[in-house]
mmCIF file with all atom_site columns, all heavy atoms in Angstrom:
data_model
loop_
_atom_site.group_PDB
_atom_site.id
_atom_site.type_symbol
_atom_site.label_atom_id
_atom_site.label_alt_id
_atom_site.label_comp_id
_atom_site.label_asym_id
_atom_site.label_entity_id
_atom_site.label_seq_id
_atom_site.pdbx_PDB_ins_code
_atom_site.Cartn_x
_atom_site.Cartn_y
_atom_site.Cartn_z
_atom_site.occupancy
_atom_site.B_iso_or_equiv
_atom_site.pdbx_formal_charge
_atom_site.auth_seq_id
_atom_site.auth_comp_id
_atom_site.auth_asym_id
_atom_site.auth_atom_id
_atom_site.pdbx_PDB_model_num
ATOM 1   N N   . ALA A 1 1  ? 0.815  -1.238 -0.019  1.00 0.00 ? 1  ALA A N   1
ATOM 2   C CA  . ALA A 1 1  ? 0.017  0.026  -0.013  1.00 0.00 ? 1  ALA A CA  1
ATOM 3   C C   . ALA A 1 1  ? 0.847  1.260  -0.001  1.00 0.00 ? 1  ALA A C   1
ATOM 4   O O   . ALA A 1 1  ? 0.627  2.128  -0.828  1.00 0.00 ? 1  ALA A O   1
ATOM 5   C CB  . ALA A 1 1  ? -0.939 -0.008 1.151   1.00 0.00 ? 1  ALA A CB  1
ATOM 6   N N   . PRO A 1 2  ? 1.833  1.399  0.915   1.00 0.00 ? 2  PRO A N   1
ATOM 7   C CA  . PRO A 1 2  ? 2.721  2.587  0.853   1.00 0.00 ? 2  PRO A CA  1
ATOM 8   C C   . PRO A 1 2  ? 3.467  2.686  -0.450  1.00 0.00 ? 2  PRO A C   1
ATOM 9   O O   . PRO A 1 2  ? 3.681  3.750  -0.982  1.00 0.00 ? 2  PRO A O   1
ATOM 10  C CB  . PRO A 1 2  ? 3.658  2.397  2.034   1.00 0.00 ? 2  PRO A CB  1
ATOM 11  C CG  . PRO A 1 2  ? 2.891  1.540  2.978   1.00 0.00 ? 2  PRO A CG  1
ATOM 12  C CD  . PRO A 1 2  ? 2.104  0.591  2.122   1.00 0.00 ? 2  PRO A CD  1
ATOM 13  N N   . ALA A 1 3  ? 3.889  1.567  -0.979  1.00 0.00 ? 3  ALA A N   1
ATOM 14  C CA  . ALA A 1 3  ? 4.613  1.552  -2.233  1.00 0.00 ? 3  ALA A CA  1
ATOM 15  C C   . ALA A 1 3  ? 3.769  2.097  -3.398  1.00 0.00 ? 3  ALA A C   1
ATOM 16  O O   . ALA A 1 3  ? 4.212  2.922  -4.200  1.00 0.00 ? 3  ALA A O   1
ATOM 17  C CB  . ALA A 1 3  ? 5.120  0.165  -2.576  1.00 0.00 ? 3  ALA A CB  1
ATOM 18  N N   . ALA A 1 4  ? 2.468  1.716  -3.363  1.00 0.00 ? 4  ALA A N   1
ATOM 19  C CA  . ALA A 1 4  ? 1.578  2.195  -4.393  1.00 0.00 ? 4  ALA A CA  1
ATOM 20  C C   . ALA A 1 4  ? 1.349  3.694  -4.217  1.00 0.00 ? 4  ALA A C   1
ATOM 21  O O   . ALA A 1 4  ? 1.225  4.450  -5.242  1.00 0.00 ? 4  ALA A O   1
ATOM 22  C CB  . ALA A 1 4  ? 0.233  1.433  -4.289  1.00 0.00 ? 4  ALA A CB  1
ATOM 23  N N   . LEU A 1 5  ? 1.266  4.179  -2.980  1.00 0.00 ? 5  LEU A N   1
ATOM 24  C CA  . LEU A 1 5  ? 1.115  5.614  -2.737  1.00 0.00 ? 5  LEU A CA  1
ATOM 25  C C   . LEU A 1 5  ? 2.268  6.409  -3.230  1.00 0.00 ? 5  LEU A C   1
ATOM 26  O O   . LEU A 1 5  ? 2.118  7.472  -3.843  1.00 0.00 ? 5  LEU A O   1
ATOM 27  C CB  . LEU A 1 5  ? 0.898  5.840  -1.209  1.00 0.00 ? 5  LEU A CB  1
ATOM 28  C CG  . LEU A 1 5  ? 0.657  7.317  -0.774  1.00 0.00 ? 5  LEU A CG  1
ATOM 29  C CD1 . LEU A 1 5  ? -0.509 7.873  -1.446  1.00 0.00 ? 5  LEU A CD1 1
ATOM 30  C CD2 . LEU A 1 5  ? 0.566  7.375  0.713   1.00 0.00 ? 5  LEU A CD2 1
ATOM 31  N N   . VAL A 1 6  ? 3.484  5.871  -3.028  1.00 0.00 ? 6  VAL A N   1
ATOM 32  C CA  . VAL A 1 6  ? 4.714  6.531  -3.443  1.00 0.00 ? 6  VAL A CA  1
ATOM 33  C C   . VAL A 1 6  ? 4.713  6.662  -4.983  1.00 0.00 ? 6  VAL A C   1
ATOM 34  O O   . VAL A 1 6  ? 5.031  7.747  -5.586  1.00 0.00 ? 6  VAL A O   1
ATOM 35  C CB  . VAL A 1 6  ? 5.972  5.835  -2.960  1.00 0.00 ? 6  VAL A CB  1
ATOM 36  C CG1 . VAL A 1 6  ? 7.206  6.450  -3.646  1.00 0.00 ? 6  VAL A CG1 1
ATOM 37  C CG2 . VAL A 1 6  ? 6.097  5.976  -1.490  1.00 0.00 ? 6  VAL A CG2 1
ATOM 38  N N   . VAL A 1 7  ? 4.330  5.593  -5.655  1.00 0.00 ? 7  VAL A N   1
ATOM 39  C CA  . VAL A 1 7  ? 4.291  5.542  -7.105  1.00 0.00 ? 7  VAL A CA  1
ATOM 40  C C   . VAL A 1 7  ? 3.265  6.635  -7.604  1.00 0.00 ? 7  VAL A C   1
ATOM 41  O O   . VAL A 1 7  ? 3.507  7.334  -8.547  1.00 0.00 ? 7  VAL A O   1
ATOM 42  C CB  . VAL A 1 7  ? 3.988  4.137  -7.630  1.00 0.00 ? 7  VAL A CB  1
ATOM 43  C CG1 . VAL A 1 7  ? 3.734  4.195  -9.146  1.00 0.00 ? 7  VAL A CG1 1
ATOM 44  C CG2 . VAL A 1 7  ? 5.081  3.213  -7.316  1.00 0.00 ? 7  VAL A CG2 1
ATOM 45  N N   . ALA A 1 8  ? 2.079  6.616  -6.924  1.00 0.00 ? 8  ALA A N   1
ATOM 46  C CA  . ALA A 1 8  ? 1.056  7.602  -7.367  1.00 0.00 ? 8  ALA A CA  1
ATOM 47  C C   . ALA A 1 8  ? 1.479  9.038  -7.181  1.00 0.00 ? 8  ALA A C   1
ATOM 48  O O   . ALA A 1 8  ? 1.210  9.863  -8.044  1.00 0.00 ? 8  ALA A O   1
ATOM 49  C CB  . ALA A 1 8  ? -0.214 7.343  -6.593  1.00 0.00 ? 8  ALA A CB  1
ATOM 50  N N   . LEU A 1 9  ? 2.169  9.300  -6.089  1.00 0.00 ? 9  LEU A N   1
ATOM 51  C CA  . LEU A 1 9  ? 2.632  10.746 -5.831  1.00 0.00 ? 9  LEU A CA  1
ATOM 52  C C   . LEU A 1 9  ? 3.676  11.085 -6.837  1.00 0.00 ? 9  LEU A C   1
ATOM 53  O O   . LEU A 1 9  ? 3.744  12.247 -7.347  1.00 0.00 ? 9  LEU A O   1
ATOM 54  C CB  . LEU A 1 9  ? 3.174  10.828 -4.416  1.00 0.00 ? 9  LEU A CB  1
ATOM 55  C CG  . LEU A 1 9  ? 2.141  10.768 -3.284  1.00 0.00 ? 9  LEU A CG  1
ATOM 56  C CD1 . LEU A 1 9  ? 2.840  10.776 -1.942  1.00 0.00 ? 9  LEU A CD1 1
ATOM 57  C CD2 . LEU A 1 9  ? 1.152  11.943 -3.403  1.00 0.00 ? 9  LEU A CD2 1
ATOM 58  N N   . ALA A 1 10 ? 4.527  10.143 -7.186  1.00 0.00 ? 10 ALA A N   1
ATOM 59  C CA  . ALA A 1 10 ? 5.582  10.457 -8.132  1.00 0.00 ? 10 ALA A CA  1
ATOM 60  C C   . ALA A 1 10 ? 5.006  10.658 -9.542  1.00 0.00 ? 10 ALA A C   1
ATOM 61  O O   . ALA A 1 10 ? 5.499  11.530 -10.292 1.00 0.00 ? 10 ALA A O   1
ATOM 62  C CB  . ALA A 1 10 ? 6.590  9.263  -8.238  1.00 0.00 ? 10 ALA A CB  1
ATOM 63  N N   . ALA A 1 11 ? 3.915  10.037 -9.852  1.00 0.00 ? 11 ALA A N   1
ATOM 64  C CA  . ALA A 1 11 ? 3.278  10.200 -11.118 1.00 0.00 ? 11 ALA A CA  1
ATOM 65  C C   . ALA A 1 11 ? 2.412  11.450 -11.247 1.00 0.00 ? 11 ALA A C   1
ATOM 66  O O   . ALA A 1 11 ? 2.098  11.897 -12.284 1.00 0.00 ? 11 ALA A O   1
ATOM 67  C CB  . ALA A 1 11 ? 2.450  8.955  -11.481 1.00 0.00 ? 11 ALA A CB  1
ATOM 68  N N   . ALA A 1 12 ? 1.992  12.054 -10.035 1.00 0.00 ? 12 ALA A N   1
ATOM 69  C CA  . ALA A 1 12 ? 1.122  13.189 -10.039 1.00 0.00 ? 12 ALA A CA  1
ATOM 70  C C   . ALA A 1 12 ? 1.882  14.430 -10.594 1.00 0.00 ? 12 ALA A C   1
ATOM 71  O O   . ALA A 1 12 ? 3.105  14.620 -10.335 1.00 0.00 ? 12 ALA A O   1
ATOM 72  C CB  . ALA A 1 12 ? 0.663  13.505 -8.600  1.00 0.00 ? 12 ALA A CB  1
ATOM 73  N N   . PRO A 1 13 ? 1.231  15.305 -11.364 1.00 0.00 ? 13 PRO A N   1
ATOM 74  C CA  . PRO A 1 13 ? 1.876  16.449 -11.919 1.00 0.00 ? 13 PRO A CA  1
ATOM 75  C C   . PRO A 1 13 ? 2.238  17.495 -10.874 1.00 0.00 ? 13 PRO A C   1
ATOM 76  O O   . PRO A 1 13 ? 1.506  17.704 -9.942  1.00 0.00 ? 13 PRO A O   1
ATOM 77  C CB  . PRO A 1 13 ? 0.824  17.030 -12.928 1.00 0.00 ? 13 PRO A CB  1
ATOM 78  C CG  . PRO A 1 13 ? -0.483 16.538 -12.403 1.00 0.00 ? 13 PRO A CG  1
ATOM 79  C CD  . PRO A 1 13 ? -0.188 15.223 -11.742 1.00 0.00 ? 13 PRO A CD  1
ATOM 80  N N   . ALA A 1 14 ? 3.370  18.165 -10.997 1.00 0.00 ? 14 ALA A N   1
ATOM 81  C CA  . ALA A 1 14 ? 3.815  19.150 -10.035 1.00 0.00 ? 14 ALA A CA  1
ATOM 82  C C   . ALA A 1 14 ? 2.959  20.434 -10.274 1.00 0.00 ? 14 ALA A C   1
ATOM 83  O O   . ALA A 1 14 ? 2.384  20.662 -11.357 1.00 0.00 ? 14 ALA A O   1
ATOM 84  C CB  . ALA A 1 14 ? 5.282  19.509 -10.238 1.00 0.00 ? 14 ALA A CB  1
ATOM 85  N N   . ALA A 1 15 ? 2.889  21.295 -9.232  1.00 0.00 ? 15 ALA A N   1
ATOM 86  C CA  . ALA A 1 15 ? 2.120  22.513 -9.319  1.00 0.00 ? 15 ALA A CA  1
ATOM 87  C C   . ALA A 1 15 ? 2.696  23.444 -10.394 1.00 0.00 ? 15 ALA A C   1
ATOM 88  O O   . ALA A 1 15 ? 3.966  23.552 -10.510 1.00 0.00 ? 15 ALA A O   1
ATOM 89  C CB  . ALA A 1 15 ? 2.141  23.291 -7.967  1.00 0.00 ? 15 ALA A CB  1
ATOM 90  N N   . ALA A 1 16 ? 1.844  23.975 -11.270 1.00 0.00 ? 16 ALA A N   1
ATOM 91  C CA  . ALA A 1 16 ? 2.291  24.735 -12.399 1.00 0.00 ? 16 ALA A CA  1
ATOM 92  C C   . ALA A 1 16 ? 2.926  26.057 -11.928 1.00 0.00 ? 16 ALA A C   1
ATOM 93  O O   . ALA A 1 16 ? 2.431  26.690 -10.945 1.00 0.00 ? 16 ALA A O   1
ATOM 94  C CB  . ALA A 1 16 ? 1.141  25.019 -13.335 1.00 0.00 ? 16 ALA A CB  1
ATOM 95  N N   . GLU A 1 17 ? 3.990  26.490 -12.559 1.00 0.00 ? 17 GLU A N   1
ATOM 96  C CA  . GLU A 1 17 ? 4.596  27.733 -12.199 1.00 0.00 ? 17 GLU A CA  1
ATOM 97  C C   . GLU A 1 17 ? 3.922  28.864 -12.993 1.00 0.00 ? 17 GLU A C   1
ATOM 98  O O   . GLU A 1 17 ? 3.356  28.617 -14.085 1.00 0.00 ? 17 GLU A O   1
ATOM 99  C CB  . GLU A 1 17 ? 6.125  27.714 -12.546 1.00 0.00 ? 17 GLU A CB  1
ATOM 100 C CG  . GLU A 1 17 ? 6.887  26.742 -11.669 1.00 0.00 ? 17 GLU A CG  1
ATOM 101 C CD  . GLU A 1 17 ? 8.374  26.764 -11.962 1.00 0.00 ? 17 GLU A CD  1
ATOM 102 O OE1 . GLU A 1 17 ? 8.745  27.480 -12.920 1.00 0.00 ? 17 GLU A OE1 1
ATOM 103 O OE2 . GLU A 1 17 ? 9.154  26.108 -11.288 1.00 0.00 ? 17 GLU A OE2 1
ATOM 104 N N   . LEU A 1 18 ? 4.019  30.079 -12.442 1.00 0.00 ? 18 LEU A N   1
ATOM 105 C CA  . LEU A 1 18 ? 3.485  31.214 -13.181 1.00 0.00 ? 18 LEU A CA  1
ATOM 106 C C   . LEU A 1 18 ? 4.224  31.395 -14.475 1.00 0.00 ? 18 LEU A C   1
ATOM 107 O O   . LEU A 1 18 ? 5.457  31.332 -14.546 1.00 0.00 ? 18 LEU A O   1
ATOM 108 C CB  . LEU A 1 18 ? 3.672  32.547 -12.320 1.00 0.00 ? 18 LEU A CB  1
ATOM 109 C CG  . LEU A 1 18 ? 2.600  32.716 -11.285 1.00 0.00 ? 18 LEU A CG  1
ATOM 110 C CD1 . LEU A 1 18 ? 2.990  33.961 -10.449 1.00 0.00 ? 18 LEU A CD1 1
ATOM 111 C CD2 . LEU A 1 18 ? 1.218  32.904 -11.813 1.00 0.00 ? 18 LEU A CD2 1
ATOM 112 N N   . PRO A 1 19 ? 3.506  31.670 -15.550 1.00 0.00 ? 19 PRO A N   1
ATOM 113 C CA  . PRO A 1 19 ? 4.135  31.969 -16.829 1.00 0.00 ? 19 PRO A CA  1
ATOM 114 C C   . PRO A 1 19 ? 5.078  33.147 -16.720 1.00 0.00 ? 19 PRO A C   1
ATOM 115 O O   . PRO A 1 19 ? 4.803  34.122 -16.023 1.00 0.00 ? 19 PRO A O   1
ATOM 116 C CB  . PRO A 1 19 ? 2.993  32.197 -17.798 1.00 0.00 ? 19 PRO A CB  1
ATOM 117 C CG  . PRO A 1 19 ? 1.806  31.540 -17.153 1.00 0.00 ? 19 PRO A CG  1
ATOM 118 C CD  . PRO A 1 19 ? 2.051  31.651 -15.701 1.00 0.00 ? 19 PRO A CD  1
ATOM 119 N N   . GLU A 1 20 ? 6.185  33.175 -17.480 1.00 0.00 ? 20 GLU A N   1
ATOM 120 C CA  . GLU A 1 20 ? 7.081  34.225 -17.452 1.00 0.00 ? 20 GLU A CA  1
ATOM 121 C C   . GLU A 1 20 ? 6.462  35.610 -17.822 1.00 0.00 ? 20 GLU A C   1
ATOM 122 O O   . GLU A 1 20 ? 6.817  36.616 -17.190 1.00 0.00 ? 20 GLU A O   1
ATOM 123 C CB  . GLU A 1 20 ? 8.325  33.925 -18.387 1.00 0.00 ? 20 GLU A CB  1
ATOM 124 C CG  . GLU A 1 20 ? 9.393  34.967 -18.345 1.00 0.00 ? 20 GLU A CG  1
ATOM 125 C CD  . GLU A 1 20 ? 10.106 35.048 -17.021 1.00 0.00 ? 20 GLU A CD  1
ATOM 126 O OE1 . GLU A 1 20 ? 10.077 34.032 -16.261 1.00 0.00 ? 20 GLU A OE1 1
ATOM 127 O OE2 . GLU A 1 20 ? 10.660 36.121 -16.689 1.00 0.00 ? 20 GLU A OE2 1
ATOM 128 N N   . PRO A 1 21 ? 5.560  35.650 -18.851 1.00 0.00 ? 21 PRO A N   1
ATOM 129 C CA  . PRO A 1 21 ? 4.975  36.932 -19.124 1.00 0.00 ? 21 PRO A CA  1
ATOM 130 C C   . PRO A 1 21 ? 4.144  37.533 -17.942 1.00 0.00 ? 21 PRO A C   1
ATOM 131 O O   . PRO A 1 21 ? 4.121  38.749 -17.763 1.00 0.00 ? 21 PRO A O   1
ATOM 132 C CB  . PRO A 1 21 ? 4.004  36.603 -20.273 1.00 0.00 ? 21 PRO A CB  1
ATOM 133 C CG  . PRO A 1 21 ? 4.594  35.401 -20.924 1.00 0.00 ? 21 PRO A CG  1
ATOM 134 C CD  . PRO A 1 21 ? 5.213  34.640 -19.782 1.00 0.00 ? 21 PRO A CD  1
ATOM 135 N N   . VAL A 1 22 ? 3.542  36.670 -17.156 1.00 0.00 ? 22 VAL A N   1
ATOM 136 C CA  . VAL A 1 22 ? 2.795  37.245 -15.981 1.00 0.00 ? 22 VAL A CA  1
ATOM 137 C C   . VAL A 1 22 ? 3.753  37.803 -14.933 1.00 0.00 ? 22 VAL A C   1
ATOM 138 O O   . VAL A 1 22 ? 3.539  38.868 -14.373 1.00 0.00 ? 22 VAL A O   1
ATOM 139 C CB  . VAL A 1 22 ? 1.970  36.102 -15.347 1.00 0.00 ? 22 VAL A CB  1
ATOM 140 C CG1 . VAL A 1 22 ? 1.251  36.673 -14.080 1.00 0.00 ? 22 VAL A CG1 1
ATOM 141 C CG2 . VAL A 1 22 ? 0.933  35.612 -16.343 1.00 0.00 ? 22 VAL A CG2 1
ATOM 142 N N   . ILE A 1 23 ? 4.906  37.088 -14.760 1.00 0.00 ? 23 ILE A N   1
ATOM 143 C CA  . ILE A 1 23 ? 5.897  37.629 -13.804 1.00 0.00 ? 23 ILE A CA  1
ATOM 144 C C   . ILE A 1 23 ? 6.435  38.943 -14.289 1.00 0.00 ? 23 ILE A C   1
ATOM 145 O O   . ILE A 1 23 ? 6.595  39.906 -13.480 1.00 0.00 ? 23 ILE A O   1
ATOM 146 C CB  . ILE A 1 23 ? 7.042  36.608 -13.660 1.00 0.00 ? 23 ILE A CB  1
ATOM 147 C CG1 . ILE A 1 23 ? 6.513  35.299 -13.035 1.00 0.00 ? 23 ILE A CG1 1
ATOM 148 C CG2 . ILE A 1 23 ? 8.128  37.199 -12.737 1.00 0.00 ? 23 ILE A CG2 1
ATOM 149 C CD1 . ILE A 1 23 ? 7.527  34.189 -12.901 1.00 0.00 ? 23 ILE A CD1 1
ATOM 150 N N   . ARG A 1 24 ? 6.736  39.086 -15.569 1.00 0.00 ? 24 ARG A N   1
ATOM 151 C CA  . ARG A 1 24 ? 7.238  40.328 -16.141 1.00 0.00 ? 24 ARG A CA  1
ATOM 152 C C   . ARG A 1 24 ? 6.184  41.442 -15.986 1.00 0.00 ? 24 ARG A C   1
ATOM 153 O O   . ARG A 1 24 ? 6.531  42.582 -15.766 1.00 0.00 ? 24 ARG A O   1
ATOM 154 C CB  . ARG A 1 24 ? 7.667  40.118 -17.604 1.00 0.00 ? 24 ARG A CB  1
ATOM 155 C CG  . ARG A 1 24 ? 8.881  39.341 -17.817 1.00 0.00 ? 24 ARG A CG  1
ATOM 156 C CD  . ARG A 1 24 ? 9.529  39.614 -19.131 1.00 0.00 ? 24 ARG A CD  1
ATOM 157 N NE  . ARG A 1 24 ? 8.565  39.326 -20.261 1.00 0.00 ? 24 ARG A NE  1
ATOM 158 C CZ  . ARG A 1 24 ? 8.521  38.188 -20.841 1.00 0.00 ? 24 ARG A CZ  1
ATOM 159 N NH1 . ARG A 1 24 ? 9.283  37.165 -20.502 1.00 0.00 ? 24 ARG A NH1 1
ATOM 160 N NH2 . ARG A 1 24 ? 7.645  38.048 -21.869 1.00 0.00 ? 24 ARG A NH2 1
ATOM 161 N N   . MET A 1 25 ? 4.935  41.106 -16.152 1.00 0.00 ? 25 MET A N   1
ATOM 162 C CA  . MET A 1 25 ? 3.905  42.043 -16.039 1.00 0.00 ? 25 MET A CA  1
ATOM 163 C C   . MET A 1 25 ? 3.817  42.631 -14.670 1.00 0.00 ? 25 MET A C   1
ATOM 164 O O   . MET A 1 25 ? 3.644  43.823 -14.439 1.00 0.00 ? 25 MET A O   1
ATOM 165 C CB  . MET A 1 25 ? 2.515  41.371 -16.438 1.00 0.00 ? 25 MET A CB  1
ATOM 166 C CG  . MET A 1 25 ? 1.356  42.306 -16.513 1.00 0.00 ? 25 MET A CG  1
ATOM 167 S SD  . MET A 1 25 ? -0.114 41.601 -17.224 1.00 0.00 ? 25 MET A SD  1
ATOM 168 C CE  . MET A 1 25 ? -0.404 40.277 -15.990 1.00 0.00 ? 25 MET A CE  1
ATOM 169 N N   . LEU A 1 26 ? 3.923  41.793 -13.643 1.00 0.00 ? 26 LEU A N   1
ATOM 170 C CA  . LEU A 1 26 ? 3.916  42.216 -12.223 1.00 0.00 ? 26 LEU A CA  1
ATOM 171 C C   . LEU A 1 26 ? 5.100  43.113 -12.004 1.00 0.00 ? 26 LEU A C   1
ATOM 172 O O   . LEU A 1 26 ? 4.970  44.197 -11.312 1.00 0.00 ? 26 LEU A O   1
ATOM 173 C CB  . LEU A 1 26 ? 3.919  41.030 -11.345 1.00 0.00 ? 26 LEU A CB  1
ATOM 174 C CG  . LEU A 1 26 ? 2.660  40.148 -11.274 1.00 0.00 ? 26 LEU A CG  1
ATOM 175 C CD1 . LEU A 1 26 ? 2.880  38.872 -10.530 1.00 0.00 ? 26 LEU A CD1 1
ATOM 176 C CD2 . LEU A 1 26 ? 1.467  40.972 -10.681 1.00 0.00 ? 26 LEU A CD2 1
ATOM 177 N N   . VAL A 1 27 ? 6.274  42.740 -12.482 1.00 0.00 ? 27 VAL A N   1
ATOM 178 C CA  . VAL A 1 27 ? 7.506  43.527 -12.288 1.00 0.00 ? 27 VAL A CA  1
ATOM 179 C C   . VAL A 1 27 ? 7.392  44.912 -12.927 1.00 0.00 ? 27 VAL A C   1
ATOM 180 O O   . VAL A 1 27 ? 7.730  45.946 -12.318 1.00 0.00 ? 27 VAL A O   1
ATOM 181 C CB  . VAL A 1 27 ? 8.744  42.785 -12.832 1.00 0.00 ? 27 VAL A CB  1
ATOM 182 C CG1 . VAL A 1 27 ? 9.970  43.708 -12.777 1.00 0.00 ? 27 VAL A CG1 1
ATOM 183 C CG2 . VAL A 1 27 ? 9.013  41.578 -12.002 1.00 0.00 ? 27 VAL A CG2 1
ATOM 184 N N   . GLU A 1 28 ? 6.895  44.960 -14.175 1.00 0.00 ? 28 GLU A N   1
ATOM 185 C CA  . GLU A 1 28 ? 6.744  46.219 -14.882 1.00 0.00 ? 28 GLU A CA  1
ATOM 186 C C   . GLU A 1 28 ? 5.727  47.149 -14.192 1.00 0.00 ? 28 GLU A C   1
ATOM 187 O O   . GLU A 1 28 ? 5.921  48.338 -14.217 1.00 0.00 ? 28 GLU A O   1
ATOM 188 C CB  . GLU A 1 28 ? 6.369  45.964 -16.349 1.00 0.00 ? 28 GLU A CB  1
ATOM 189 C CG  . GLU A 1 28 ? 7.480  45.404 -17.187 1.00 0.00 ? 28 GLU A CG  1
ATOM 190 C CD  . GLU A 1 28 ? 8.698  46.258 -17.203 1.00 0.00 ? 28 GLU A CD  1
ATOM 191 O OE1 . GLU A 1 28 ? 8.522  47.533 -17.271 1.00 0.00 ? 28 GLU A OE1 1
ATOM 192 O OE2 . GLU A 1 28 ? 9.815  45.743 -17.202 1.00 0.00 ? 28 GLU A OE2 1
ATOM 193 N N   . ALA A 1 29 ? 4.671  46.510 -13.660 1.00 0.00 ? 29 ALA A N   1
ATOM 194 C CA  . ALA A 1 29 ? 3.652  47.371 -12.966 1.00 0.00 ? 29 ALA A CA  1
ATOM 195 C C   . ALA A 1 29 ? 4.253  48.049 -11.810 1.00 0.00 ? 29 ALA A C   1
ATOM 196 O O   . ALA A 1 29 ? 4.075  49.228 -11.550 1.00 0.00 ? 29 ALA A O   1
ATOM 197 C CB  . ALA A 1 29 ? 2.477  46.510 -12.532 1.00 0.00 ? 29 ALA A CB  1
ATOM 198 N N   . HIS A 1 30 ? 5.095  47.340 -11.006 1.00 0.00 ? 30 HIS A N   1
ATOM 199 C CA  . HIS A 1 30 ? 5.804  47.994 -9.866  1.00 0.00 ? 30 HIS A CA  1
ATOM 200 C C   . HIS A 1 30 ? 6.821  48.955 -10.356 1.00 0.00 ? 30 HIS A C   1
ATOM 201 O O   . HIS A 1 30 ? 7.084  49.964 -9.618  1.00 0.00 ? 30 HIS A O   1
ATOM 202 C CB  . HIS A 1 30 ? 6.412  46.904 -8.938  1.00 0.00 ? 30 HIS A CB  1
ATOM 203 C CG  . HIS A 1 30 ? 5.364  46.187 -8.113  1.00 0.00 ? 30 HIS A CG  1
ATOM 204 N ND1 . HIS A 1 30 ? 4.598  45.156 -8.570  1.00 0.00 ? 30 HIS A ND1 1
ATOM 205 C CD2 . HIS A 1 30 ? 5.005  46.386 -6.801  1.00 0.00 ? 30 HIS A CD2 1
ATOM 206 C CE1 . HIS A 1 30 ? 3.802  44.733 -7.605  1.00 0.00 ? 30 HIS A CE1 1
ATOM 207 N NE2 . HIS A 1 30 ? 3.974  45.479 -6.525  1.00 0.00 ? 30 HIS A NE2 1
ATOM 208 N N   . ARG A 1 31 ? 7.474  48.674 -11.400 1.00 0.00 ? 31 ARG A N   1
ATOM 209 C CA  . ARG A 1 31 ? 8.503  49.605 -11.918 1.00 0.00 ? 31 ARG A CA  1
ATOM 210 C C   . ARG A 1 31 ? 7.885  50.934 -12.300 1.00 0.00 ? 31 ARG A C   1
ATOM 211 O O   . ARG A 1 31 ? 8.464  52.015 -12.153 1.00 0.00 ? 31 ARG A O   1
ATOM 212 C CB  . ARG A 1 31 ? 9.235  48.991 -13.104 1.00 0.00 ? 31 ARG A CB  1
ATOM 213 C CG  . ARG A 1 31 ? 10.430 49.765 -13.594 1.00 0.00 ? 31 ARG A CG  1
ATOM 214 C CD  . ARG A 1 31 ? 11.135 49.008 -14.647 1.00 0.00 ? 31 ARG A CD  1
ATOM 215 N NE  . ARG A 1 31 ? 11.746 47.789 -14.089 1.00 0.00 ? 31 ARG A NE  1
ATOM 216 C CZ  . ARG A 1 31 ? 12.264 46.822 -14.818 1.00 0.00 ? 31 ARG A CZ  1
ATOM 217 N NH1 . ARG A 1 31 ? 12.217 46.853 -16.151 1.00 0.00 ? 31 ARG A NH1 1
ATOM 218 N NH2 . ARG A 1 31 ? 12.747 45.756 -14.217 1.00 0.00 ? 31 ARG A NH2 1
ATOM 219 N N   . GLY A 1 32 ? 6.642  50.892 -12.845 1.00 0.00 ? 32 GLY A N   1
ATOM 220 C CA  . GLY A 1 32 ? 5.967  52.126 -13.198 1.00 0.00 ? 32 GLY A CA  1
ATOM 221 C C   . GLY A 1 32 ? 5.537  52.920 -12.026 1.00 0.00 ? 32 GLY A C   1
ATOM 222 O O   . GLY A 1 32 ? 5.418  54.166 -12.075 1.00 0.00 ? 32 GLY A O   1
ATOM 223 N N   . GLY A 1 33 ? 5.296  52.292 -10.878 1.00 0.00 ? 33 GLY A N   1
ATOM 224 C CA  . GLY A 1 33 ? 5.043  53.043 -9.629  1.00 0.00 ? 33 GLY A CA  1
ATOM 225 C C   . GLY A 1 33 ? 3.611  53.554 -9.512  1.00 0.00 ? 33 GLY A C   1
ATOM 226 O O   . GLY A 1 33 ? 3.350  54.348 -8.547  1.00 0.00 ? 33 GLY A O   1
ATOM 227 N N   . ASP A 1 34 ? 2.700  53.188 -10.397 1.00 0.00 ? 34 ASP A N   1
ATOM 228 C CA  . ASP A 1 34 ? 1.269  53.628 -10.285 1.00 0.00 ? 34 ASP A CA  1
ATOM 229 C C   . ASP A 1 34 ? 0.521  52.615 -9.456  1.00 0.00 ? 34 ASP A C   1
ATOM 230 O O   . ASP A 1 34 ? 0.298  51.472 -9.850  1.00 0.00 ? 34 ASP A O   1
ATOM 231 C CB  . ASP A 1 34 ? 0.691  53.751 -11.667 1.00 0.00 ? 34 ASP A CB  1
ATOM 232 C CG  . ASP A 1 34 ? -0.700 54.372 -11.678 1.00 0.00 ? 34 ASP A CG  1
ATOM 233 O OD1 . ASP A 1 34 ? -1.435 54.133 -10.715 1.00 0.00 ? 34 ASP A OD1 1
ATOM 234 O OD2 . ASP A 1 34 ? -0.993 55.090 -12.648 1.00 0.00 ? 34 ASP A OD2 1
#
């Protein structure tokens, strides 16, 4: 049972990271200062 759980967790997809354009958009908004 634990072995099956380990295999299932390993197969589960990792949490998606924020796309680079969104990160740049947040940075540029703060750079503008509005």
Side-chain angles (χ1 to χ4, degrees):
L5 180 60
V6 170
V7 172
L9 290 174
E17 296 183 353
L18 279 174
E20 185 64 26
V22 177
I23 297 176
R24 288 201 303 269
M25 185 171 63
L26 292 168
V27 171
E28 289 301 322
H30 283 82
R31 186 173 296 169
D34 187 324

